[in-house]
Amino acid sequence: MSSLRTDNDTWDIASSVGATAVMVAAARAAETERTDRIIDDPYAKVLVAGAGAGAWQFMADDAFVERVVENDPEMGALFEHMGNYQAVRTHFFDAYFAAAADAGVRQVVILASGLDSRAFRLPWPAGTTVFEIDQPLVLEYKAAALAEHGATPSADRREVPIDLRQDWPAALRAAGFDPGRPTAWLAEGLLMYLPADAQDRLFAQVTELSAPGSRLAAESMGIHAPDRRERMRERFASITAQMDIEPMDITELTYDDPERAEVADWLDAHGWRAEAVESQDEMRRLGRYVEVVDSDDESFSTFTTGVKL
C-alpha cells in the first residue's frame, strides 16, 4: 500500500501523481524523436517544457542515458525497457480509439487524463466529443501550455475538472455527456493509483453510464514481490544520487493491493465482454521488448479492452 497517499490529497502538475503525468509525457516526447518511432506526439515536448525542473528533464537527454549505462548497464537496460513500455502502451490505446471510431463511437471519456494529448493529435471523425477528467490544476496547466503554442483540438474537447473520488458522473453529465450514446472510455496510467475498492467503484460508475456498444480500455499493473520492490527502489536511489537528480519514488504513490480484481474478470461479470493482452507480449510483437535483470514479467501489466453488451 502507498505510504504517501491520503483520502483527500490533491496535486498540481509538478507534484505527487501529477508529476507522473510529466514523466509519461517525457517518454512520449523521447519516442517521437526516434526515427523508428511507433507513436507521434508533437505536443509532448511542449507539455514537458513548461513543467519546470524535475527528473523528466533527463529522459530525452542522450548524454544522461549514456552516463546511466556507463554507471550501471543493467539500469540502462531498464531505462530503455521503461521508455519502450510507454511507447507500446500509447500505441495500443491509440489503436483502441481508432477501432472505436471505426465502429461509430463518437463520445470519448479519458479518466485521469493528465497530459494526454489525444484530443489534439488523433484524427477524430467529425462529431466526436472528447471529455477529459482530471484534477483542476492539471487541466489548467495543459490547456494553458497548448494554447500558448497555438494547438487546437481535432475534436470537441471538454474539460471536466474534478477528482475521481468526488461525484465525477454528475460533473461529466453537466459537461454534456450523454449516457444514452455509446462511449469509448480509457483508464490509462490510473488504476495503480487507486485502492482496490475504489477501482471497483470506478468501474461500477462507468458501467452505469455506458450504453450498449460502449467500449472500455484499461491498463492494470501486477503485484510486485516486496523484496523486488525494495531492490528496484535502492537501484533508482543509487542512480539519482550519482546523477544528482531529485529522487522520485513512484511506488510510494501506488497501491499494491493483493485484493484488487482482475479487470477482465470484473468486466465479464458485470455486463461486458472483455479481452486482455499482456503488455510484454505486445512489446515483443512490436519489437520493443528489452531483457532486464531481475525482471518479473508476471507482475508487469495487462491491457484490457471490453465491449458493453
Side-chain angles (χ1 to χ4, degrees):
M1 298 288 285
S2 169
S3 62
L4 295 183
R5 303 296 306 287
T6 61
D7 289 344
N8 297 306
D9 56 342
T10 61
W11 49 84
D12 58 16
I13 201 60
S15 63
S16 186
V17 178
T20 67
V22 187
M23 296 290 287
V24 172
R28 292 199 304 269
E31 175 67 20
T32 299
E33 294 292 322
R34 291 177 57 149
T35 57
D36 62 343
R37 61 181 176 269
I38 58 174
I39 64 165
D40 185 11
D41 187 347
Y43 304 106
K45 191 172 183 178
V46 168
L47 291 167
V48 173
W56 48 80
Q57 294 173 286
F58 302 93
M59 296 189 66
D61 185 340
D62 292 339
F64 169 76
V65 174
E66 290 175 3
R67 287 175 61 201
V68 170
V69 173
E70 289 175 2
N71 283 275
D72 188 341
E74 293 175 0
M75 183 58 74
L78 180 59
F79 270 41
E80 181 182 0
H81 186 81
M82 291 167 58
N84 285 351
Y85 172 76
Q86 294 296 340
V88 168
R89 182 180 80 168
T90 302
H91 181 276
F92 183 90
F93 292 123
D94 281 359
Y96 155 76
F97 277 130
D102 288 345
V105 178
R106 297 292 181 267
Q107 187 167 246
V108 172
V109 179
I110 303 178
L111 301 161
S113 59
L115 298 183
D116 188 307
S117 64
R118 290 186 175 96
F120 295 82
R121 65 179 179 82
L122 293 186
W124 300 103
T128 301
T129 302
V130 178
F131 297 90
E132 296 187 10
I133 304 177
D134 211 321
Q135 295 266 352
L137 291 176
V138 173
L139 290 176
E140 287 175 14
Y141 167 79
K142 178 162 64 175
L146 293 178
E148 183 179 347
H149 286 79
T152 57
S154 52
D156 177 6
R157 175 178 176 267
R158 303 188 188 183
E159 296 183 353
V160 185
I162 191 169
D163 192 300
L164 288 171
R165 292 166 294 189
Q166 300 169 348
D167 190 3
W168 65 266
L172 182 61
R173 288 173 183 264
F177 175 83
D178 182 357
R181 298 173 57 199
T183 304
W185 302 85
L186 177 62
E188 177 187 24
L190 165 60
L191 300 183
M192 69 283 288
Y193 301 112
L194 299 176
D197 59 342
Q199 174 179 306
D200 290 348
R201 184 167 58 253
L202 177 71
F203 285 141
Q205 292 168 313
V206 166
T207 299
E208 185 176 350
L209 292 168
S210 295
S214 291
R215 300 179 175 220
L216 184 147
E219 170 201 26
S220 55
M221 307 300 291
I223 302 298
H224 294 268
D227 59 335
R228 181 176 182 273
R229 286 166 64 90
E230 184 56 33
R231 289 196 301 272
M232 295 308 298
R233 183 181 291 111
E234 291 174 355
R235 296 190 74 165
F236 274 111
S238 174
I239 285 292
T240 54
Q242 292 176 42
M243 302 298 181
D244 194 26
I245 302 171
E246 174 134 5
M248 181 179 177
D249 188 355
I250 294 177
T251 64
E252 294 288 350
L253 304 174
T254 61
Y255 293 85
D256 206 36
D257 195 332
E259 302 302 317
R260 187 183 302 276
E262 291 289 342
V263 176
D265 292 344
W266 193 100
L267 293 176
D268 282 337
H270 292 83
W272 299 75
R273 183 180 67 253
E275 296 181 359
V277 176
E278 297 302 317
S279 60
Q280 59 267 33
D281 291 340
E282 187 70 1
M283 293 179 75
R284 291 187 178 100
R285 185 182 74 82
L286 294 172
R288 288 301 190 88
Y289 188 81
V290 177
E291 292 289 346
V292 296
V293 174
D294 200 25
S295 65
D296 186 2
D297 275 356
E298 291 185 0
S299 69
F300 206 41
S301 71
T302 304
F303 303 146
T304 302
T305 56
V307 177
K308 183 72 163 24
L309 303 175

PDB file of all heavy atoms in Angstrom, residues 28-46:
ATOM      1  N   ARG A  28       6.887   9.996 -24.074  1.00  0.00           N
ATOM      2  CA  ARG A  28       6.280  10.142 -25.390  1.00  0.00           C
ATOM      3  C   ARG A  28       7.088  11.110 -26.252  1.00  0.00           C
ATOM      4  O   ARG A  28       7.222  10.910 -27.459  1.00  0.00           O
ATOM      5  CB  ARG A  28       4.830  10.626 -25.271  1.00  0.00           C
ATOM      6  CG  ARG A  28       3.883   9.609 -24.661  1.00  0.00           C
ATOM      7  CD  ARG A  28       2.442   9.944 -24.979  1.00  0.00           C
ATOM      8  NE  ARG A  28       2.070  11.277 -24.562  1.00  0.00           N
ATOM      9  CZ  ARG A  28       1.545  11.592 -23.388  1.00  0.00           C
ATOM     10  NH1 ARG A  28       1.326  10.638 -22.486  1.00  0.00           N
ATOM     11  NH2 ARG A  28       1.232  12.838 -23.092  1.00  0.00           N
ATOM     12  N   ALA A  29       7.621  12.149 -25.634  1.00  0.00           N
ATOM     13  CA  ALA A  29       8.449  13.102 -26.381  1.00  0.00           C
ATOM     14  C   ALA A  29       9.718  12.421 -26.889  1.00  0.00           C
ATOM     15  O   ALA A  29      10.134  12.627 -28.033  1.00  0.00           O
ATOM     16  CB  ALA A  29       8.807  14.290 -25.487  1.00  0.00           C
ATOM     17  N   ALA A  30      10.338  11.593 -26.038  1.00  0.00           N
ATOM     18  CA  ALA A  30      11.545  10.888 -26.444  1.00  0.00           C
ATOM     19  C   ALA A  30      11.248   9.915 -27.581  1.00  0.00           C
ATOM     20  O   ALA A  30      12.023   9.806 -28.542  1.00  0.00           O
ATOM     21  CB  ALA A  30      12.144  10.149 -25.249  1.00  0.00           C
ATOM     22  N   GLU A  31      10.138   9.220 -27.501  1.00  0.00           N
ATOM     23  CA  GLU A  31       9.764   8.279 -28.560  1.00  0.00           C
ATOM     24  C   GLU A  31       9.500   9.010 -29.869  1.00  0.00           C
ATOM     25  O   GLU A  31       9.878   8.531 -30.952  1.00  0.00           O
ATOM     26  CB  GLU A  31       8.514   7.500 -28.141  1.00  0.00           C
ATOM     27  CG  GLU A  31       7.951   6.563 -29.202  1.00  0.00           C
ATOM     28  CD  GLU A  31       8.852   5.390 -29.527  1.00  0.00           C
ATOM     29  OE1 GLU A  31       9.736   5.061 -28.697  1.00  0.00           O
ATOM     30  OE2 GLU A  31       8.691   4.785 -30.612  1.00  0.00           O
ATOM     31  N   THR A  32       8.877  10.165 -29.800  1.00  0.00           N
ATOM     32  CA  THR A  32       8.567  10.938 -31.001  1.00  0.00           C
ATOM     33  C   THR A  32       9.828  11.374 -31.731  1.00  0.00           C
ATOM     34  O   THR A  32       9.820  11.548 -32.957  1.00  0.00           O
ATOM     35  CB  THR A  32       7.701  12.163 -30.628  1.00  0.00           C
ATOM     36  OG1 THR A  32       6.466  11.690 -30.054  1.00  0.00           O
ATOM     37  CG2 THR A  32       7.387  13.024 -31.832  1.00  0.00           C
ATOM     38  N   GLU A  33      10.940  11.528 -31.000  1.00  0.00           N
ATOM     39  CA  GLU A  33      12.207  11.934 -31.608  1.00  0.00           C
ATOM     40  C   GLU A  33      12.910  10.784 -32.318  1.00  0.00           C
ATOM     41  O   GLU A  33      13.834  11.010 -33.101  1.00  0.00           O
ATOM     42  CB  GLU A  33      13.137  12.498 -30.524  1.00  0.00           C
ATOM     43  CG  GLU A  33      12.654  13.801 -29.882  1.00  0.00           C
ATOM     44  CD  GLU A  33      12.676  14.960 -30.849  1.00  0.00           C
ATOM     45  OE1 GLU A  33      13.621  15.038 -31.655  1.00  0.00           O
ATOM     46  OE2 GLU A  33      11.746  15.786 -30.806  1.00  0.00           O
ATOM     47  N   ARG A  34      12.486   9.555 -32.090  1.00  0.00           N
ATOM     48  CA  ARG A  34      13.154   8.407 -32.692  1.00  0.00           C
ATOM     49  C   ARG A  34      12.795   8.280 -34.170  1.00  0.00           C
ATOM     50  O   ARG A  34      11.666   8.547 -34.577  1.00  0.00           O
ATOM     51  CB  ARG A  34      12.762   7.119 -31.965  1.00  0.00           C
ATOM     52  CG  ARG A  34      13.299   7.018 -30.564  1.00  0.00           C
ATOM     53  CD  ARG A  34      12.831   5.763 -29.860  1.00  0.00           C
ATOM     54  NE  ARG A  34      13.185   4.529 -30.570  1.00  0.00           N
ATOM     55  CZ  ARG A  34      13.443   3.374 -29.955  1.00  0.00           C
ATOM     56  NH1 ARG A  34      13.406   3.304 -28.630  1.00  0.00           N
ATOM     57  NH2 ARG A  34      13.726   2.302 -30.655  1.00  0.00           N
ATOM     58  N   THR A  35      13.767   7.845 -34.964  1.00  0.00           N
ATOM     59  CA  THR A  35      13.485   7.629 -36.389  1.00  0.00           C
ATOM     60  C   THR A  35      12.604   6.405 -36.600  1.00  0.00           C
ATOM     61  O   THR A  35      11.904   6.308 -37.610  1.00  0.00           O
ATOM     62  CB  THR A  35      14.795   7.448 -37.176  1.00  0.00           C
ATOM     63  OG1 THR A  35      15.537   6.353 -36.606  1.00  0.00           O
ATOM     64  CG2 THR A  35      15.636   8.716 -37.110  1.00  0.00           C
ATOM     65  N   ASP A  36      12.618   5.469 -35.646  1.00  0.00           N
ATOM     66  CA  ASP A  36      11.786   4.269 -35.756  1.00  0.00           C
ATOM     67  C   ASP A  36      10.584   4.336 -34.814  1.00  0.00           C
ATOM     68  O   ASP A  36      10.090   3.326 -34.327  1.00  0.00           O
ATOM     69  CB  ASP A  36      12.608   3.020 -35.454  1.00  0.00           C
ATOM     70  CG  ASP A  36      13.155   3.016 -34.019  1.00  0.00           C
ATOM     71  OD1 ASP A  36      13.179   4.100 -33.381  1.00  0.00           O
ATOM     72  OD2 ASP A  36      13.548   1.934 -33.536  1.00  0.00           O
ATOM     73  N   ARG A  37      10.107   5.551 -34.560  1.00  0.00           N
ATOM     74  CA  ARG A  37       9.021   5.737 -33.588  1.00  0.00           C
ATOM     75  C   ARG A  37       7.773   4.960 -33.987  1.00  0.00           C
ATOM     76  O   ARG A  37       7.486   4.781 -35.161  1.00  0.00           O
ATOM     77  CB  ARG A  37       8.681   7.220 -33.448  1.00  0.00           C
ATOM     78  CG  ARG A  37       8.189   7.895 -34.715  1.00  0.00           C
ATOM     79  CD  ARG A  37       7.899   9.379 -34.457  1.00  0.00           C
ATOM     80  NE  ARG A  37       7.522  10.071 -35.682  1.00  0.00           N
ATOM     81  CZ  ARG A  37       8.382  10.678 -36.489  1.00  0.00           C
ATOM     82  NH1 ARG A  37       9.679  10.653 -36.197  1.00  0.00           N
ATOM     83  NH2 ARG A  37       7.969  11.285 -37.588  1.00  0.00           N
ATOM     84  N   ILE A  38       7.026   4.541 -32.953  1.00  0.00           N
ATOM     85  CA  ILE A  38       5.763   3.852 -33.190  1.00  0.00           C
ATOM     86  C   ILE A  38       4.572   4.715 -32.788  1.00  0.00           C
ATOM     87  O   ILE A  38       3.425   4.312 -32.969  1.00  0.00           O
ATOM     88  CB  ILE A  38       5.707   2.497 -32.457  1.00  0.00           C
ATOM     89  CG1 ILE A  38       5.892   2.678 -30.951  1.00  0.00           C
ATOM     90  CG2 ILE A  38       6.752   1.543 -33.026  1.00  0.00           C
ATOM     91  CD1 ILE A  38       5.694   1.401 -30.154  1.00  0.00           C
ATOM     92  N   ILE A  39       4.840   5.893 -32.235  1.00  0.00           N
ATOM     93  CA  ILE A  39       3.801   6.889 -31.968  1.00  0.00           C
ATOM     94  C   ILE A  39       4.342   8.257 -32.371  1.00  0.00           C
ATOM     95  O   ILE A  39       5.557   8.428 -32.518  1.00  0.00           O
ATOM     96  CB  ILE A  39       3.378   6.937 -30.477  1.00  0.00           C
ATOM     97  CG1 ILE A  39       4.565   7.395 -29.600  1.00  0.00           C
ATOM     98  CG2 ILE A  39       2.823   5.602 -30.021  1.00  0.00           C
ATOM     99  CD1 ILE A  39       4.183   7.812 -28.217  1.00  0.00           C
ATOM    100  N   ASP A  40       3.433   9.203 -32.542  1.00  0.00           N
ATOM    101  CA  ASP A  40       3.844  10.571 -32.869  1.00  0.00           C
ATOM    102  C   ASP A  40       3.032  11.526 -32.008  1.00  0.00           C
ATOM    103  O   ASP A  40       1.827  11.671 -32.199  1.00  0.00           O
ATOM    104  CB  ASP A  40       3.605  10.854 -34.352  1.00  0.00           C
ATOM    105  CG  ASP A  40       4.132  12.224 -34.773  1.00  0.00           C
ATOM    106  OD1 ASP A  40       4.866  12.847 -33.972  1.00  0.00           O
ATOM    107  OD2 ASP A  40       3.801  12.677 -35.888  1.00  0.00           O
ATOM    108  N   ASP A  41       3.688  12.111 -31.024  1.00  0.00           N
ATOM    109  CA  ASP A  41       3.022  13.065 -30.134  1.00  0.00           C
ATOM    110  C   ASP A  41       3.760  14.403 -30.206  1.00  0.00           C
ATOM    111  O   ASP A  41       4.690  14.651 -29.439  1.00  0.00           O
ATOM    112  CB  ASP A  41       3.003  12.547 -28.702  1.00  0.00           C
ATOM    113  CG  ASP A  41       2.175  13.429 -27.774  1.00  0.00           C
ATOM    114  OD1 ASP A  41       1.824  14.559 -28.175  1.00  0.00           O
ATOM    115  OD2 ASP A  41       1.866  12.985 -26.657  1.00  0.00           O
ATOM    116  N   PRO A  42       3.363  15.274 -31.137  1.00  0.00           N
ATOM    117  CA  PRO A  42       4.060  16.547 -31.307  1.00  0.00           C
ATOM    118  C   PRO A  42       3.856  17.519 -30.152  1.00  0.00           C
ATOM    119  O   PRO A  42       4.538  18.538 -30.088  1.00  0.00           O
ATOM    120  CB  PRO A  42       3.457  17.101 -32.598  1.00  0.00           C
ATOM    121  CG  PRO A  42       2.091  16.500 -32.655  1.00  0.00           C
ATOM    122  CD  PRO A  42       2.246  15.121 -32.082  1.00  0.00           C
ATOM    123  N   TYR A  43       2.946  17.205 -29.245  1.00  0.00           N
ATOM    124  CA  TYR A  43       2.663  18.113 -28.131  1.00  0.00           C
ATOM    125  C   TYR A  43       3.363  17.716 -26.841  1.00  0.00           C
ATOM    126  O   TYR A  43       3.400  18.493 -25.888  1.00  0.00           O
ATOM    127  CB  TYR A  43       1.154  18.172 -27.889  1.00  0.00           C
ATOM    128  CG  TYR A  43       0.390  18.578 -29.120  1.00  0.00           C
ATOM    129  CD1 TYR A  43      -0.348  17.651 -29.845  1.00  0.00           C
ATOM    130  CD2 TYR A  43       0.430  19.891 -29.584  1.00  0.00           C
ATOM    131  CE1 TYR A  43      -1.034  18.018 -30.996  1.00  0.00           C
ATOM    132  CE2 TYR A  43      -0.247  20.266 -30.732  1.00  0.00           C
ATOM    133  CZ  TYR A  43      -0.979  19.325 -31.435  1.00  0.00           C
ATOM    134  OH  TYR A  43      -1.649  19.693 -32.578  1.00  0.00           O
ATOM    135  N   ALA A  44       3.917  16.507 -26.791  1.00  0.00           N
ATOM    136  CA  ALA A  44       4.522  16.025 -25.554  1.00  0.00           C
ATOM    137  C   ALA A  44       5.666  16.920 -25.089  1.00  0.00           C
ATOM    138  O   ALA A  44       5.771  17.262 -23.910  1.00  0.00           O
ATOM    139  CB  ALA A  44       4.999  14.588 -25.746  1.00  0.00           C
ATOM    140  N   LYS A  45       6.529  17.305 -26.009  1.00  0.00           N
ATOM    141  CA  LYS A  45       7.687  18.130 -25.648  1.00  0.00           C
ATOM    142  C   LYS A  45       7.252  19.470 -25.089  1.00  0.00           C
ATOM    143  O   LYS A  45       7.840  19.985 -24.125  1.00  0.00           O
ATOM    144  CB  LYS A  45       8.579  18.324 -26.873  1.00  0.00           C
ATOM    145  CG  LYS A  45       9.936  18.938 -26.580  1.00  0.00           C
ATOM    146  CD  LYS A  45      10.818  18.905 -27.830  1.00  0.00           C
ATOM    147  CE  LYS A  45      12.212  19.440 -27.536  1.00  0.00           C
ATOM    148  NZ  LYS A  45      13.092  19.365 -28.735  1.00  0.00           N
ATOM    149  N   VAL A  46       6.222  20.055 -25.685  1.00  0.00           N
ATOM    150  CA  VAL A  46       5.687  21.335 -25.206  1.00  0.00           C
ATOM    151  C   VAL A  46       5.170  21.201 -23.781  1.00  0.00           C
ATOM    152  O   VAL A  46       5.408  22.061 -22.918  1.00  0.00           O
ATOM    153  CB  VAL A  46       4.551  21.809 -26.135  1.00  0.00           C
ATOM    154  CG1 VAL A  46       3.787  22.978 -25.519  1.00  0.00           C
ATOM    155  CG2 VAL A  46       5.107  22.190 -27.495  1.00  0.00           C
TER     156      VAL A  46
END
